[in-house]
Amino acid sequence: MKKRTVYATGADRVLSVFLNAFLWFWIVVIAYPLIYVVAASFSSSHAVISGKVWLWPVEPSLRAYRAVFNNGQILSGFYNSTVYMVLGTAISLVLTVLAAYPLSRKELVGGRIFSGLFLFTMLFSGGLIPTYLVVKDLGLRNTIWAMILPSAFSVWNMIITRTYFQTAIPDELYEAAQLDGCSDFRFLNRIVLPLSGPILAVIGLYYAVGNWNGYFNALLYLDASRLYPLQLVLRDILVLGNIDISMVKDFDEMVRKQGLADLLKYAVIVVASVPVMVLYPFIQRYFVKGVMIGAVKG
Amino acid sequence: MTVPSSIPRNRRGRPNALASMVRHWQLYAMILLPVVYIGIFNYLPMYGVQLAFKRFSPSRGIAGSAWVGLKYFQIFFTSPSCWQVVWNTLSVSVYSIAINFFFPIALAVALNETQHKGFRKTAQMITYAPYFISTVVMVGLIMQVLDPRLGIVNRIVVTLGGAETNFMGKPELFKSIYVWSGLWQGIGYSAIIYLAALSGVSPELQEAAIIDGCNRGQRIWNVDLPSITPTIVIMLIMSFGFVMSVGFEKVFLMQNNLNLSSSEIIATYVYKVGLINADFGFATAIGLFNSVVNVVLLVGANSIAKKMNQPGLW
C-alpha cells in the first residue's frame, strides 16, 4: 500500500475500518450464493440434498450437466435465444445509430421536433393491451419477429449514443468532410462509426443482455414451444418446477430422480448465465464510460 | 462556422431551412426508419388507448367498438381489489427506491476510498456481476436459496436451532424479498454511476479541505457528496418515473397463491385481467391509470428538483 497515512487520524482509521468492513460484507454476500450454485451444480445430488455442500463441490460429478445437455427443450431454447440475440442486437444497433446520428447534427432542421417525438415515448406509453393488439394485428404472433421487433429500439440507448456522437466527433471534422463533398451516409460509415467503437460495444451489450434475458415477449406472443427462448424453458424448470420426471417406478427411483431435478436447477442456472458473463469482461473497459455518458443530461 | 457561400441564406444570414433540408436529405432518409418504428410500436398503441373507454369487439376493431365512457374506471375504483393493488404497487416501489438509493451511494464511497487499486477493481467486478443474471434465473436463485427443505438460508437457520420457514409463502415477507434481492442484484451496477461521478470530484477541492484540517469523514460529507448531488438527484427523479412500472417480470415470477395478497401489483393485474380473462377494455383502463400516475410522478419529481435549484431531467 502507498504511504498516504500521513494525514490519518484516529477518526480516519475508524472510518476506514468501517468502510472496509462494508465492502467485504457486500463482496461476501454477493459472491457466496454464486459460488454455492456453481459448487452445487458440480456435486452429486446426494451431497446437495443432505446439505454437505457449503463452498466446494462434494463428490464431484458432471451428471447434472449431462442431463442439461441431453434435454431437448433446453438445447432448442439455447439455439432460439442465440438467434434472437444475434439478430435482435444487429437490428437494434442499426435502428439506434440511424436515429442517433441525424439527431446529433445541428444541420437537421426540425431536430427538436424529432427529439420530442422520441422522448415522449419514454414518458407515456400505450400500455400492455394496446401494444399486444398492434403486434397481433401485424401478424407477428408466433414468429421470431415477435421476439425481436417489439423491443428492438430503446430511446434511452439512442440518447446515450447521440450524446456520444455529439461529444466525440468534433464539428470541424464534419465541416471539413462537407467541404470535400462527403455525403452524410459516407461520413457516418467512414468517420463516425469507426470512431464509435466504445459506445457501440456498450449499447450492443445492453441490447444483447436484454434480448438474452427477456422472457415476457415470449410469454405474450409465442404459443409454439419450438420457438421458446431459453428463459421461458428455464421458467418452467426453475420457477414452476416442471421437470419431466415421468416413468417413475418405485420410491427409490423417485427420490433419485427428484434429487437429479434439484441438482439440474443449479446446473441450469450456471449454463444460462455463462454466455452473458463471458461477454462482459471484453466490454468491461467501455462499460463504465458508457454508463457515465448515460448519466449526462441528454 | 464556415458554411460554403453557395447555400442560400435568409434575412438573418442563416442558411435557408428548405435549402438545408434538401442539402442534407440523407439525414432525413436515415431517421425515417426509426421514426416509422416508433410510429408503429409506440404511437399506434397510444391510439389504442381509447379502448379504455370502449367495449372492445374484435370484429369491429378499435375504432369501430362502442363507447362506454368511464365505466371501466368506475368498476376499477369501486372494486375491493383496487386499493390493495394500488397500495402494493406504491409501497413496493417506494420501499425499493429508499433502499436502492442509499446503499449504492455508500458502496461507491467505500470503493472510492479504497487506496488499493487491484482490490477496488476486483470488488467492483464481483459486486456488479449479478446485474447480468436474468430475471428468471434470479427468481430461480431466490427460490433455491429460500427453499424450505434445501435452501441455504433454512439450513443455516436449522443449524442454529431455528425452525424451517417457507419464506416465499409469507405475504408479509414478499416485499422485503423483492426489494433486498433487487439490491443484491443491482447495487454494483448502480454504484458505477456514482463512482464515475466521484472520480470527477476536483482534487484541488480535496487538497483545500485537507489543508483546512478536514479528516476523511468530513471530506466525504462536505466535498464528495455535495459534488455528486446533481447525479444523485437525476437518479432519484428517474427512479420516481419508474414508480408505477415496478418490475413486472420479477414480481410476476415471484407470485404464488400464498403471497398474492401483497404481491399483486397493477401490472400483473392488468396482465391477468387483460390477457388471461381477455377483458381488453378494462385492462387498458387500468393500464392508462398506471401511465397517467407515472407521468404525474415524474413531472412532479422533476419540478421539485428544479425548485430546489438542482438540474432536472429537462
Side-chain angles (χ1 to χ4, degrees):
Chain A
M1 236 203 240
K2 267 184 274 173
K3 265 226 162 189
R4 272 188 59 181
T5 42
V6 188
Y7 309 111
T9 65
D12 281 3
R13 248 171 260 134
V14 172
L15 184 74
S16 110
V17 166
F18 177 76
L19 287 177
N20 264 314
F22 183 79
L23 261 187
W24 276 107
F25 169 79
W26 278 105
I27 290 174
V28 170
V29 162
I30 288 175
Y32 182 65
L34 300 177
I35 293 172
Y36 177 79
V37 167
V38 175
S41 73
F42 283 107
S43 301
S44 75
S45 55
H46 174 257
V48 172
I49 290 178
S50 52
K52 284 186 195 148
V53 179
W54 288 100
L55 195 63
W56 210 245
V58 177
E59 302 166 22
S61 111
L62 289 174
R63 265 189 76 208
Y65 288 94
R66 235 173 276 140
V68 167
F69 287 111
N70 280 328
N71 183 318
Q73 274 222 296
I74 294 179
L75 288 184
S76 118
F78 215 96
Y79 171 78
N80 287 336
S81 282
T82 311
V83 172
Y84 301 153
M85 179 171 81
V86 172
L87 200 61
T89 306
I91 290 177
S92 297
L93 279 175
V94 170
L95 275 175
T96 306
V97 167
L98 284 183
Y101 173 68
L103 288 177
S104 76
R105 298 258 48 105
K106 288 191 290 289
E107 289 75 12
L108 184 82
V109 179
R112 290 178 74 93
I113 298 172
F114 284 116
S115 289
L117 215 55
F118 284 105
L119 287 176
F120 184 70
T121 65
M122 289 179 86
L123 203 59
F124 188 79
S125 83
L128 177 72
I129 304 295
T131 310
Y132 172 84
L133 287 176
V134 166
V135 173
K136 186 173 156 252
D137 289 345
L138 288 171
L140 300 181
R141 289 195 74 228
N142 286 320
T143 67
I144 79 167
W145 301 110
M147 293 301 299
I148 291 170
L149 290 181
S151 50
F153 182 74
S154 144
V155 174
W156 184 243
N157 286 346
M158 188 273 284
I159 293 173
I160 298 174
T161 315
R162 185 193 66 177
T163 310
Y164 185 91
F165 288 163
Q166 279 167 342
T167 48
I169 316 283
D171 275 346
E172 289 77 13
L173 208 57
Y174 182 71
E175 281 151 23
Q178 287 278 294
L179 285 177
D180 289 342
C182 177
S183 73
D184 281 294
F185 274 122
R186 212 179 143 86
F187 185 70
L188 177 62
N189 245 328
R190 292 291 172 83
I191 314 251
V192 176
L193 292 183
L195 286 175
S196 307
I199 196 66
L200 295 179
V202 170
I203 64 162
L205 177 74
Y206 281 157
Y207 280 125
V209 171
N211 267 311
W212 182 266
N213 285 348
Y215 78 92
F216 190 52
N217 278 346
L219 189 68
L220 282 182
Y221 304 125
L222 298 183
D223 300 322
S225 63
R226 71 188 160 79
L227 289 174
Y228 279 3
L230 184 62
Q231 299 299 327
L232 214 54
V233 178
L234 293 181
R235 172 173 170 260
D236 261 7
I237 296 175
L238 290 174
V239 181
L240 306 179
N242 297 337
I243 302 179
D244 190 18
I245 39 173
S246 52
M247 296 192 297
V248 179
K249 287 180 194 103
D250 55 276
F251 185 69
D252 274 359
E253 175 89 336
M254 202 178 82
V255 170
R256 212 172 56 76
K257 293 240 176 177
Q258 187 56 47
L260 184 63
D262 278 320
L263 192 63
L264 195 68
K265 291 184 181 174
Y266 291 110
V268 153
I269 290 176
V270 174
V271 169
S273 306
V274 160
V276 183
M277 298 243 184
V278 163
L279 270 181
Y280 134 84
F282 295 105
I283 301 184
Q284 196 200 357
R285 61 203 171 106
Y286 304 131
F287 199 68
V288 174
K289 205 174 172 186
V291 175
M292 194 51 203
I293 297 168
V296 175
K297 209 152 76 143
Chain B
M1 203 170 85
T2 49
V3 180
S5 56
S6 61
I7 296 181
R9 285 156 187 271
N10 63 14
R11 269 172 302 159
R12 277 175 293 177
R14 294 225 184 99
N16 184 313
L18 191 67
S20 172
M21 283 170 82
V22 172
R23 189 180 152 88
H24 293 283
W25 66 270
Q26 291 187 340
L27 292 177
Y28 297 88
M30 287 177 199
I31 208 168
L32 182 67
L33 202 60
V35 167
V36 168
Y37 177 90
I38 62 163
I40 294 174
F41 288 99
N42 295 94
Y43 284 94
L44 261 187
M46 288 186 209
Y47 170 78
V49 160
Q50 55 178 289
L51 273 183
F53 310 98
K54 286 185 163 183
R55 187 189 308 114
F56 181 65
S57 118
S59 56
R60 290 198 198 153
I62 293 175
S65 295
W67 293 95
V68 294
L70 295 174
K71 186 181 142 202
Y72 295 128
F73 292 93
Q74 252 169 12
I75 298 176
F76 179 59
F77 288 121
T78 51
S79 75
S81 52
C82 162
W83 299 112
Q84 173 101 56
V85 170
V86 171
W87 164 250
N88 284 340
T89 312
L90 283 175
S91 57
V92 80
S93 46
V94 170
Y95 187 1
S96 172
I97 288 175
I99 298 298
N100 286 295
F101 173 67
F102 172 74
F103 283 98
I105 297 174
L107 182 69
V109 168
L111 281 168
N112 195 46
E113 289 295 314
T114 309
Q115 251 104 63
H116 198 285
K117 251 194 160 170
F119 175 61
R120 186 200 302 192
K121 247 190 150 167
T122 318
Q124 221 184 326
M125 231 171 112
I126 291 171
T127 50
Y128 64 74
Y131 173 74
F132 294 96
I133 294 175
S134 77
T135 316
V136 174
V137 170
M138 184 66 210
V139 174
L141 199 59
I142 295 171
M143 289 169 75
Q144 287 302 104
V145 168
L146 298 180
D147 189 273
R149 204 162 38 89
L150 297 174
I152 189 98
V153 173
N154 269 312
R155 276 174 51 205
I156 293 172
V157 169
V158 170
T159 312
L160 297 177
E164 289 175 356
T165 320
N166 180 13
F167 293 101
M168 292 301 286
K170 294 211 177 290
E172 66 273 22
L173 289 180
F174 172 82
K175 282 163 194 162
S176 293
I177 296 174
Y178 174 86
V179 168
W180 291 95
S181 64
L183 180 68
W184 182 85
Q185 189 170 19
I187 183 172
Y189 177 75
S190 312
I192 297 178
I193 291 166
Y194 299 118
L195 198 59
L198 280 171
S199 72
V201 174
S202 99
E204 284 91 356
L205 226 50
Q206 294 279 13
E207 279 157 26
I210 292 170
I211 291 168
D212 285 349
C214 282
N215 62 30
R216 260 166 97 184
Q218 288 167 323
R219 286 202 316 267
I220 292 172
W221 190 251
N222 295 318
V223 179
D224 287 348
L225 288 182
S227 307
I228 65 168
T229 306
T231 312
I232 294 175
V233 171
I234 287 185
M235 298 313 290
L236 203 57
I237 298 174
M238 294 223 329
S239 57
F240 271 100
F242 292 117
V243 161
M244 300 301 274
S245 49
V246 246
F248 168 93
E249 300 205 345
K250 191 170 159 197
V251 173
F252 183 67
L253 291 174
M254 286 175 68
Q255 279 181 349
N256 56 46
N257 289 332
L258 295 173
N259 66 21
L260 209 56
S261 63
S262 73
S263 65
E264 190 79 293
I265 58 169
I266 296 180
T268 56
Y269 190 62
V270 168
Y271 172 74
K272 286 172 192 167
V273 170
L275 288 173
I276 311 246
N277 301 348
D279 197 344
F280 285 3
F282 188 45
T284 309
I286 307 167
L288 178 60
F289 164 69
N290 196 29
S291 307
V292 168
V293 176
N294 213 11
V295 171
V296 169
L297 283 175
L298 189 59
V299 172
N302 194 56
S303 64
I304 290 172
K306 291 241 151 151
K307 284 233 171 72
M308 289 164 67
N309 279 325
Q310 295 292 340
L313 274 180
W314 61 83

